[in-house]
Amino acid sequence: MIMYSDAELAQILDKDIFHRISEVADSMGVECYVVGGYVRDIFLERPSNDIDVVVVGSGIAVATELKKRLGRCAHLSVFRNFGTAQVKVTGGGSHVMEVEFVGARRESYSHDSRKPIVEDGTLEDDQNRRDFTINALAICLNKERFGELVDPFDGIYDLEDGIIRTPLDPDITFSDDPLRMLRCVRFSAQLKFNIDDETFDALQRNAQRLKIISGERIQEELNKIMMTEKPSRGIYDLYRAGLLQQILPELCLLDIVETRNGRAHKNNFYHTLEVLDNVAQTAPDDSLWLRWAALLHDIGKPKSKRWDNAAGWTFHNHNFIGAKMVPQIFRRLKLPLDAKMKYVQKLVDLHMRPIVIADEEVTDSAVRRLLNDAGDDIDDLMTLCEADITSKNEVRKARFRDNFRMVREKLVELQEKDYKRLLQPVIDGNEIMQMFGLKPSREVGELKKCLKEAVLDNRVANEREPLMQLLVKKAKSMGLDIVNSI
């Protein structure tokens, strides 16, 4: 983080869009401030194109006048029910900058809703209603005070110290709008900040309030936590605060270790967090649903846990039980019930298969069956399974890694072999020439083409008998007779 003076902030905001807004605000005689995430990200040196502007007056009026002055390069959208407006400004090429305008306001809440009663207010009122001190920073855009930072809650020092803290009483902040509790954990996870002790205590006291939040809003914040660099941090904070118990109670049930006859099983909650982080480290940036598969891969273990006097603790069929639980979890959290859900379900169901193969002899038939069942998701399945090896026994871990490497090599080998097998008919040109007494010629090429196209079009199975029937029929139409039976 870098600390900037007001003069330096003025230089950072020395852009055409901010000067245009400044001119409009001054011409209308209203105070105008850029606020929230854009200001926060200036100090954190994070890129941001989404600009929030608070007007002490009518935000819609300022946005309308700005659009008028910018002309065709700007598009105005007005949301009168919310008292907001958006101006999209197109720069060079496809670059688009979005500026949201709102009038400064004060808010009050009823206990059973997160929808506030809104009244016109001052900048101070508007900063009071902000969720966290680091999001309550404002920089004046009016010409006489251009670049002046307004920071009534010392948010700049919280940025410097890496602290998430509410501007006012956190119990009131979270009770008024319980979604702020998830945002608190999400910002902590994204920015790698610590949650202030008083603020965290309020999360625990108000966790039950999360029940009034819709599944859509919950999953939106949850997905952002899942996509952080180390998602376990956010998931663990949700759990410590009592919020995860409201969202994913099935996951919380994994936090147990039972011992019988001196034999204990591992804590599958912390194992799951480790697997999730392992996937986050190795998977591509768009791996949200692979991360969900990692989070839910052992979700069926509490229901499948049994004690066996010979084997100890067992979790037979936990993958199958977990896969059956995925749709109900997705439905409750308003996650998509389409191919994304089926993908997560498939990976949860199959996640034990590569481990079983790697723990035994890596045979062609076992790998081919795995390849057939996993299909195009085989690479993601292997990534999940490799992430699932969290044993503290380094010898065992090394053995699994070596065996997984063999499984991957076998997969590549079989994919290439099967690919060639599917593309090349089992009856080749030499057999055709021998069968019809031909030398290399146009007729041989035509017969080969007939068979290959039939295989490629999946009109005939790539097997000798059906291909032979097709070959004889085609040869007869060309006036060719069989000379040698094969």
Side-chain angles (χ1 to χ4, degrees), residues 281-435:
Q281 288 173 15
T282 57
D285 293 339
D286 59 350
S287 62
L288 174 61
W289 305 110
L290 178 53
R291 294 179 188 217
W292 268 103
L295 188 71
L296 301 180
H297 80 284
D298 276 349
I299 206 77
K301 280 193 169 178
K303 291 185 177 181
S304 65
K305 186 168 71 172
R306 299 288 184 274
W307 170 260
D308 182 279
N309 287 328
W313 293 106
T314 66
F315 301 91
H316 295 313
N317 292 323
H318 75 271
N319 54 310
F320 174 73
I321 293 170
K324 289 180 67 176
M325 294 168 67
V326 169
Q328 63 196 53
I329 291 172
F330 268 52
R331 191 172 292 110
R332 186 179 71 240
L333 293 178
K334 308 299 182 188
L335 289 162
L337 300 176
D338 54 13
K340 298 180 180 69
M341 184 271 288
K342 291 185 182 300
Y343 163 89
V344 173
Q345 193 174 25
K346 179 201 281 189
L347 263 57
V348 171
D349 188 22
L350 294 178
H351 82 270
M352 292 299 295
R353 289 273 293 282
I355 294 174
V356 171
I357 293 173
D359 205 20
E360 299 172 354
E361 184 182 355
V362 182
T363 64
D364 280 10
S365 59
V367 175
R368 183 174 281 115
R369 282 195 295 272
L370 175 66
L371 183 57
N372 179 71
D373 291 342
D376 292 340
D377 300 318
I378 185 64
D379 286 338
D380 287 352
L381 177 62
M382 291 301 298
T383 297
L384 172 60
C385 292
E386 286 163 346
D388 197 17
I389 305 304
T390 63
S391 172
K392 300 300 182 284
N393 184 325
E394 292 301 324
V395 174
R396 176 176 166 80
K397 187 183 289 189
R399 180 170 61 81
F400 266 108
R401 283 174 177 164
D402 286 343
N403 283 3
F404 272 131
R405 178 179 50 76
M406 285 191 289
V407 172
R408 279 193 179 274
E409 288 172 356
K410 188 73 72 175
L411 280 167
V412 171
E413 178 188 328
L414 288 177
Q415 282 173 314
E416 290 177 353
K417 186 188 298 181
D418 289 352
Y419 180 71
K420 291 174 182 175
R421 179 177 61 82
L422 288 172
L423 285 187
Q424 300 300 327
V426 294
I427 300 174
D428 62 18
N430 289 328
E431 288 187 84
I432 291 173
M433 288 189 287
Q434 184 180 351
M435 186 174 176

Side-chain angles (χ1 to χ4, degrees), residues 259-299:
T259 303
R260 187 178 293 187
N261 296 347
R263 301 172 76 173
H265 61 77
K266 66 186 173 187
N267 185 305
N268 287 297
F269 178 77
Y270 294 102
H271 162 73
T272 293
L273 296 188
E274 192 174 347
V275 174
L276 178 59
D277 283 347
N278 288 344
V279 165
Q281 288 173 15
T282 57
D285 293 339
D286 59 350
S287 62
L288 174 61
W289 305 110
L290 178 53
R291 294 179 188 217
W292 268 103
L295 188 71
L296 301 180
H297 80 284
D298 276 349
I299 206 77

Side-chain angles (χ1 to χ4, degrees), residues 77-287:
S77 301
V78 176
F79 310 96
R80 296 197 180 277
N81 288 346
F82 300 98
T84 65
Q86 180 191 75
V87 177
K88 285 187 179 180
V89 184
T90 304
S94 59
H95 177 69
V96 176
M97 183 174 288
E98 296 182 0
V99 187
E100 298 274 353
F101 290 86
V102 64
R105 60 195 188 187
R106 66 167 63 96
E107 296 176 343
S108 57
Y109 292 80
S110 62
H111 190 71
D112 60 349
S113 172
R114 59 177 293 266
K115 293 181 180 178
I117 300 168
V118 178
E119 302 173 90
D120 292 340
T122 63
L123 175 65
E124 181 183 4
D125 291 326
D126 203 86
Q127 289 177 299
N128 285 343
R129 74 178 182 84
R130 298 280 161 174
D131 48 10
F132 309 110
T133 59
I134 63 172
N135 293 335
L137 303 166
I139 301 175
C140 187
L141 295 179
N142 295 93
K143 186 175 182 180
E144 287 190 7
R145 297 167 54 210
F146 193 85
E148 178 184 314
L149 178 67
V150 182
D151 180 19
F153 306 110
D154 291 331
I156 198 73
Y157 296 111
D158 286 342
L159 272 180
E160 188 175 30
D161 295 336
I163 296 292
I164 304 293
R165 181 170 59 89
T166 60
L168 303 177
D169 183 337
D171 282 305
I172 295 174
T173 298
F174 294 147
S175 181
D176 280 350
D177 184 355
L179 186 65
R180 290 170 177 162
M181 295 190 287
L182 295 184
R183 285 170 57 83
C184 178
V185 173
R186 190 251 293 179
F187 279 120
S188 172
Q190 284 180 330
L191 301 176
K192 300 175 185 174
F193 281 16
N194 294 318
I195 301 172
D196 166 72
D197 288 344
E198 186 179 345
T199 300
F200 193 86
D201 290 344
L203 288 177
Q204 295 175 315
R205 287 192 295 269
N206 290 276
Q208 291 287 331
R209 291 282 291 150
L210 202 61
K211 290 178 179 177
I212 72 168
I213 304 298
S214 69
E216 288 86 353
R217 299 309 299 272
I218 289 174
Q219 59 105 334
E220 184 179 337
E221 293 297 325
L222 197 53
N223 283 341
K224 289 176 181 177
I225 291 171
M226 292 283 282
M227 288 306 295
T228 56
E229 185 179 333
K230 189 176 181 181
S232 68
R233 174 179 180 145
I235 301 298
Y236 181 57
D237 277 347
L238 290 175
Y239 182 54
R240 287 197 305 133
L243 297 167
L244 191 66
Q245 290 82 338
Q246 309 294 322
I247 301 169
L248 266 173
E250 300 93 339
L251 192 63
C252 301
L253 293 176
L254 294 174
D255 184 18
I256 187 172
V257 175
E258 283 193 65
T259 303
R260 187 178 293 187
N261 296 347
R263 301 172 76 173
H265 61 77
K266 66 186 173 187
N267 185 305
N268 287 297
F269 178 77
Y270 294 102
H271 162 73
T272 293
L273 296 188
E274 192 174 347
V275 174
L276 178 59
D277 283 347
N278 288 344
V279 165
Q281 288 173 15
T282 57
D285 293 339
D286 59 350
S287 62

